[in-house]
Structures are given as C-alpha cells and as structure tokens.
Amino acid sequence: MLETTYARAGSVAEAVKLNKAGKGEGKYLAGGHTLIPAMKQRLASPSVLVDVARIGELKGVKVTGRKVTIGAATTHAEVAADEKLRAVCPALCHLAGHIGDQHVRHRGTIGGSIANNDPAADYPAALLALDATIVTDKREIAADKFFKGLFETSLKDGELIKAVTFTAPAKAGYAKFPNPASRYAMAGVFVAGQKDGPRVAVTGAGDDGVFRSKELEAALGKGLDASKIDGVKVPPKGLMSDIHATAEYRAALVKAMAKRAAAATAS
Amino acid sequence: MAKVSMTVNGRAVSGDVEDRTLLVHFLREQLGLTGTHVGCDTSQCGACVVHVDGKAAKSCTILAAQAAGSTVVTIEGLANGAELHPVQAAFKEHHGLQCGFCTPGMIMASVDLINRVGPGKLDEKAVREGLDGNICRCTGYHNIVQAVLSASNAMAKGGKGKAKAKAA
C-alpha cells in the first residue's frame, strides 16, 4: 500500500472539508472492504482517507410508514438485522445478509457499496429496482441517474452520500447466483412491484454495470407471476463474458435468478 | 505517523504507526500478538479475524488508525489463564484443525457466531453458512463444524468460560 494520510471526521461538514484538503485525490473511507484491498494492490492511492464510519448522522435505518431511510454508513449486518425494515421490505434484509461473508457485513456499508458501484455488487440492483433516491451533501439523485457504468456514478469529486431513501413496494424479491470464491453476483436480479408495474434490475451480468431488463419487466406484469418468465428470451448482447461465465451463460442465469426473485415476492 | 490507542485483550495499548498500517500488522509486529495470522491478504480467507467492538472483522482489511479507540479481542484474549475458552477446547477435542494456520480466525469467527445467534441455537447449516468467510485447506471442515456445534451446546449448558466468552 502506498503512503496515505488518515483523518477521522466527526460530521458531514468536517468530512467534506477534510476531503478538500486532498486536492481531488482524497477518498471517503467507511467499511473500506473494497478500498483497502484496492489500495493494497495499488489500484487506488488516495492522498487522504477521510473516515466517515463513525459519523452519527450517517448511521441507522429509519422506517416511517413505508418510507425507508438508510444512513450511508449503515453496515450490511445492520441492514440485514433491522426488524423495522424487515417488516416493510424483507427482500432488502435478505440481500444485505448475503453480501460477502459475516466479517465483511460487519464493516461494509450501503453508501460505500453504491459509491463504488462494482458491476457485481448487490445494492445497485436493489436501489435501481426500488426507484430509490440517493441523498448527498449537495443534492438528491434518482437511482436511474446515479449508476453510470462500471465503477462509475454521477457523484462529483468530494461529494458525500448521506443516505438512501425509498418507498417500500408492496412486494419485492432478490436472488443471486454468487461466484463461489468471491461471493459477488455472477447474476443478481431484484424484482420490485411498483404501482405502475414491475421494476427489474440486474447486477453482475451487464457489460456496463447494473441495468433494468425491459424484457423481464414486460413479461412479469403487475402480478409478478414467476411462471411468465419461462417464455422470455434474455438477450446475451450487452452481457459480460469473462473467465467465470460467457454472456450466453449469464443470460441463462439472469432468467433463472429473475424467476427465483419473482417467486420470492410471493413469500 | 500517528499515535493510536485502543484496548486489546483488556489492556490499554498505544503505538506509533504509519497511517497506512493495517490492524493485523499493529497487533503482530508492535504488540507481538502473532496468534492472528495473515493468510491471503486479499480479504477472503479469514485467518486474520479478530473482534473489533464485539464484532468479527478482518484485521488485514482495517487500518490500525480506523481501530483507534476501539476494543479489540484476539485469539490470545480468549483463554482464561490455562483454561481454554469452550470453543478452543472443542476444536482440540474434535480435532478441528490440522496445520492450524486458519484456526485463530476460525475460532474468533466461531465465538462471534455463537454469541450472535445464541449458545445452543446453531445447527450444521447455520455453522457452515456462518463460517463461509473462513477458509481451511486441511480439514474439509467436518470436524470444525462438529467442534463449533459442540462448543455452542456446551456454552448453552453454562460450561466453564461462558461469562468470558460473552465478554469476548
């Protein structure tokens, strides 16, 4: 790991100020379970690491009616175990409880996951399907406009995610086929039954990161009937081919995971 | 360089570290607590698992500076003098190790799992899922799972070391 400077922030305002001192080379650090491994491999070498993990205003899950707000520094383990959230959106608890392993879930955060936007991370699929809003220190960004491609988001330099908000849909489900070594999704599908129809988001499979599947949304309809996916052709065009799977194999996985996710919305 | 202070195995410690120093290196090289191992160094194997503020965490993926102010427990902090922690005793009893390299992380993860779910409340599936962040290249896991189940049940019956285990 190359040299860096560590600074712990006590508030959002202080974090933003500390990051500015990094002159564009600063990074926010929460769980650090992607950033620190990347730094060890010298894929990242931030001049300043601004630790935001202990900022109180970034932590915790709030549920009011069906309106959910999750602080950016809330860990996967905390999301997975939150009973208020489970009551309105159990699919998101299920998703959070299957990220990485338990040790990772104790440290990794929702804000860190979406800011990194790994093309195989779980949360981007959920936020896109849940039509979530990403709240930063400067503005509110719709999930549709937030995820921009591989490891790319619409966040500006030094912009800090404060929270994620969404209205819990009546039904939602998530299923993923994890890579057996990394546990990242080789295909993960989040299905949410929104008022104006289903939103189906796919992670792990797209050549350009998380995306919505028009084919699956059209097939599922408002009933979220898993059997209607049988006749769908998921096109391999635009899907990832790598040492783990071809685009054609991933297309088959997307379909299979979509069926499981849709079936899970019934439970 | 920065001075970091934390509580390790019940003892207040401090040391001067580079900002990039990993917690595992602080524990091993500055405190001499070499029970915590570095296996893969890519955050996958779990050999470096310790407890940070009561939760199992990979000390190779946490900066010492991040842990400043925290309470850390390592494998050296489990036993009560010569009396092994129930999970340590069960690993010995059930041959839950061969080369032993993964064992410190495996035991710290197991103690965390039993504390989190509750002693006596684990079944085989839950143990296998709960330990999926810890890799063992020798045992084939069978005896590790037996050891954790045995320890979990012993702790539920109030076996010796229960209070200590809860604190860890």
Side-chain angles (χ1 to χ4, degrees):
Chain A
M1 193 187 300
L2 297 173
E3 278 189 53
T4 187
T5 303
Y6 171 91
R8 190 180 289 181
S11 68
V12 169
E14 192 189 359
V16 171
K17 200 175 144 198
L18 286 166
N19 194 332
K20 270 196 188 131
K23 297 190 166 58
E25 297 295 322
K27 282 261 186 205
Y28 294 114
L29 174 72
H33 272 48
T34 298
L35 183 53
I36 290 176
M39 288 172 69
K40 287 194 206 176
Q41 295 183 23
R42 300 189 177 179
L43 296 171
S45 53
S47 56
V48 177
L49 280 175
V50 181
D51 189 346
V52 298
R54 299 183 191 218
I55 299 177
E57 59 191 299
L58 297 184
K59 291 193 72 73
V61 180
K62 269 186 230 129
V63 180
T64 313
R66 299 197 71 79
K67 172 101 176 156
V68 177
T69 303
I70 304 176
T74 310
T75 65
H76 309 326
E78 287 161 350
V79 171
D82 195 276
E83 290 305 327
K84 298 183 303 291
L85 178 61
R86 187 182 305 280
V88 296
C89 193
L92 196 61
C93 297
H94 168 82
L95 175 149
H98 289 80
I99 297 172
D101 56 53
Q102 188 60 45
H103 321 314
V104 171
R105 294 192 288 273
H106 278 151
R107 305 289 303 182
T109 66
I110 187 168
S113 170
I114 61 170
N116 187 50
N117 193 20
D118 188 300
D122 298 287
Y123 271 129
L127 267 52
L128 198 52
L130 290 168
D131 199 11
T133 300
I134 291 93
V135 182
T136 77
D137 62 309
K138 292 192 173 74
R139 58 194 168 137
E140 300 195 351
I141 311 167
D144 280 321
K145 300 221 159 118
F146 182 83
F147 300 107
K148 290 282 190 189
L150 305 180
F151 299 103
E152 219 180 303
T153 67
S154 56
L155 288 172
K156 300 264 194 297
D157 269 354
E159 191 170 4
L160 177 64
I161 301 172
K162 286 165 65 178
V164 165
T165 66
F166 62 92
T167 302
K171 288 177 165 186
Y174 181 66
K176 76 165 160 177
F177 189 93
N179 177 299
S182 72
R183 296 180 193 87
Y184 272 102
M186 279 167 59
V189 179
F190 200 103
V191 172
Q194 304 288 5
K195 278 189 190 120
D196 49 354
R199 282 172 71 104
V200 178
V202 179
T203 189
D207 229 354
D208 199 30
V210 68
F211 67 95
R212 280 173 69 186
S213 167
K214 293 202 172 57
E215 294 84 1
L216 291 166
E217 288 181 359
L220 268 177
K222 283 201 173 176
L224 302 181
D225 181 353
S227 69
K228 293 198 174 151
I229 291 174
D230 286 330
V232 177
K233 275 216 157 68
V234 175
K237 190 169 181 287
L239 298 191
M240 217 185 313
S241 271
D242 57 20
I243 57 165
H244 305 298
T246 61
E248 288 74 18
Y249 186 67
R250 277 200 167 84
L253 284 180
V254 168
K255 187 169 164 178
M257 292 308 112
K259 273 191 80 169
R260 285 188 201 172
T265 63
S267 59
Chain B
M1 297 288 279
K3 192 179 179 77
V4 293
S5 303
M6 63 189 83
T7 303
V8 178
N9 298 334
R11 194 163 59 95
V13 299
S14 61
D16 291 317
V17 296
E18 284 190 287
D19 288 17
R20 63 179 167 176
T21 302
L22 297 169
L23 177 60
V24 69
H25 292 138
F26 177 66
L27 294 171
R28 287 177 58 87
E29 290 162 20
Q30 294 210 22
L31 303 183
L33 296 170
T34 54
T36 302
H37 291 167
V38 179
C40 65
D41 210 26
T42 52
S43 317
Q44 288 170 310
C45 80
C48 68
V49 168
V50 300
H51 295 180
V52 179
D53 295 325
K55 290 173 183 161
K58 297 178 186 184
S59 60
C60 83
T61 313
I62 300 173
L63 300 174
Q66 275 178 288
S70 290
T71 298
V72 176
V73 178
T74 71
I75 188 72
E76 289 93 342
L78 282 189
N80 186 7
E83 184 194 354
L84 293 178
H85 182 282
V87 177
Q88 292 175 305
F91 268 68
K92 187 180 172 195
E93 170 75 20
H94 292 270
H95 305 287
L97 63 150
Q98 286 178 28
C99 87
F101 193 86
C102 74
T103 310
M106 201 63 88
I107 288 178
M108 296 312 287
S110 302
V111 172
D112 171 79
L113 176 65
I114 294 169
N115 287 344
R116 197 156 25 84
V117 178
K121 290 185 180 165
L122 287 166
D123 58 17
E124 183 185 333
K125 187 165 177 277
V127 173
R128 288 186 183 275
E129 276 185 13
L131 293 182
D132 74 352
N134 295 76
I135 296 173
C136 171
R137 292 288 79 138
C138 303
T139 62
Y141 301 98
H142 180 81
N143 287 357
I144 291 174
V145 175
Q146 297 309 309
V148 177
L149 287 172
S150 165
S152 168
N153 293 333
M155 286 162 73
K157 283 181 195 151
K160 281 184 183 175
K162 190 186 175 196
K164 176 97 177 160
K166 274 199 170 163

